Amino acid sequence: MAAENAAIWADEAEVVFRRRGRPPVCAVSGLGLDVPAGTVFCLLGPNGSGKTTVVNLLVGLLRPTRGAVAVAGMDPHRQRREVLRRVAVVPQETALYEELTGRENLEFHARYYGVTRAAERRRIDAALELVSLEGTAGERVGTYSGGMRRRLLLARALLTDPSVIVLDEPTLGVDVQSRQAIWERIDALADEGRTILLTTNLMEEAERLGRDLLVIDEGRPVAAGTPGELKATVAQRTVRLQASDEPTAANITERFAGLSAQRSGIEVRVAVPTGDSVPSTLRALLDAVESDGHALEGIAVDEPSLHDVFLRVTGRALRDRAVSSPALPAVDAGTSTAPRVAAAEDQR
Ligand SMILES: Nc1ncnc2c1ncn2[C@@H]1O[C@H](COP(=O)(O)OP(=O)(O)OP(=O)(O)O)[C@@H](O)[C@H]1O
């Protein structure tokens, strides 16, 4: 798909931050994106992997130091005004006016973005309804919970009727109920034909929402595909057999040594051989256990999770450094953005 046909597109995009007196930071490199309209695309990565930098690239706050990016067929940096008419961004920080009510926040945003008075009320009512805030829209935002603020930000993003919505960690720090509500709203927006790109480091979120995922680490793409395709690359499925006592578990472990059986107390984990189906392995295991005269207390199958994929492609090392990096001075990659990005880092 070419730049003009994809809703979100990138080709070998790179962002290097150059800082006076310090080594340059390559926040993103070799980024390729080809997101068709009407889909939800998930960008996954550990802390400091470059997700927010990608968001800033897509909304024109940064320009690539190499390669190219297009959103709704336009160059987000050069055609920033036009892009912002078609693309909405829900940032990580909840930048809302605390003293104003929810509705007043939306009115302010609608006027700032030139939404006509005729459309304003209709769009605000529809957006408030979509995020279930119509009953509390008259209350000051200062009294809102974290989940309500996130939902208000989503409502705010809809006021310009965008075809592309970019959400930076939309459910960061919200409770399970709000998370569920936000996921349902995101599904509804994609069903309306809008394109959603969201960043997250929550596997459950990526699995639930992303039809296509891209995992980035240290700014580079390290895995791509649907959740099912990615999980298939990890492959290792295991059957857990629970024996009635430890001697029985030891016997079963010995019997299945050829299937890398491992015992832990009364539990035996047996690997499903690559290429074999889970039912056929289960049948063979149960037949063998029965013919040996053993009884089982329980049985379970563990499928590989997106978690396994994530850890395999990004490793287990902690990423504290990027999170605690100090506010950074002006950079080359963007124009007016360095203080904003640095300020966002400060809050983390
Ligand atoms: N303005 C800047 N100047 C220099 N380096 C920066 C700047 N902004 C980000 N970085 C660095 O670029 C890398 C990617 O940062 P980014 O904020 O995009 O990661 P992230 O995946 O969004 O992280 P998180 O999940 O913690 O929000 C990090 O090493 C970060 O320290």
Side-chain angles (χ1 to χ4, degrees), residues 68-143:
V69 177
V71 179
M74 293 178 278
D75 177 330
H77 193 75
R78 282 225 229 102
Q79 296 166 276
R80 182 125 201 274
R81 273 168 168 267
E82 292 90 320
V83 166
L84 287 183
R85 258 186 241 128
R86 305 273 307 280
V87 180
V89 61
V90 180
Q92 221 175 75
E93 70 268 34
T94 53
L96 292 162
Y97 297 103
E98 303 277 315
E99 294 306 314
L100 300 184
T101 66
R103 179 177 285 278
E104 284 165 348
N105 265 277
L106 298 188
E107 285 167 355
F108 185 86
H109 187 83
R111 282 168 209 169
Y112 183 81
Y113 278 94
V115 176
T116 61
R117 286 294 169 114
E120 182 184 298
R121 199 185 162 96
R122 187 171 33 84
R123 286 200 196 159
I124 289 178
D125 285 345
L128 285 169
E129 196 188 328
L130 185 87
V131 300
S132 306
L133 283 177
E134 60 278 49
T136 42
E139 293 169 24
R140 271 185 41 245
V141 164
T143 66

Side-chain angles (χ1 to χ4, degrees), residues 17 19 25 27 46-53 92 169 201 322-323 325 328 331 338 341-342 345 348:
F17 292 106
R19 309 170 298 169
V25 174
N47 289 138
S49 56
K51 301 182 298 294
T52 301
T53 305
Q92 221 175 75
E169 304 203 18
N201 53 29
V323 181
S325 60
L328 297 158
V331 294
V341 176
E345 290 261 320
R348 281 180 247 160

Side-chain angles (χ1 to χ4, degrees), residues 15-19 22-28 43-56 62 92 168-169 172 199-201 216 218-219 319 321-333 337-345 348:
V15 176
V16 176
F17 292 106
R18 293 184 204 288
R19 309 170 298 169
R22 288 205 257 166
V25 174
C26 184
V28 169
L43 191 62
L44 265 173
N47 289 138
S49 56
K51 301 182 298 294
T52 301
T53 305
V54 173
V55 168
N56 287 338
L62 293 172
Q92 221 175 75
D168 198 3
E169 304 203 18
L172 191 74
T199 75
T200 187
N201 53 29
I216 56 171
E218 294 177 350
R319 309 305 160 91
R321 221 157 55 96
V323 181
S324 60
S325 60
L328 297 158
V331 294
D332 281 359
T337 57
R340 254 186 72 107
V341 176
E345 290 261 320
R348 281 180 247 160

Side-chain angles (χ1 to χ4, degrees), residues 257-285:
L259 293 179
S260 320
Q262 285 183 338
R263 183 173 74 85
S264 165
I266 58 165
E267 192 172 274
V268 183
R269 297 176 76 92
V270 181
V272 177
T274 313
D276 282 10
S277 74
V278 171
S280 68
T281 305
L282 271 180
R283 210 170 300 124
L285 290 176

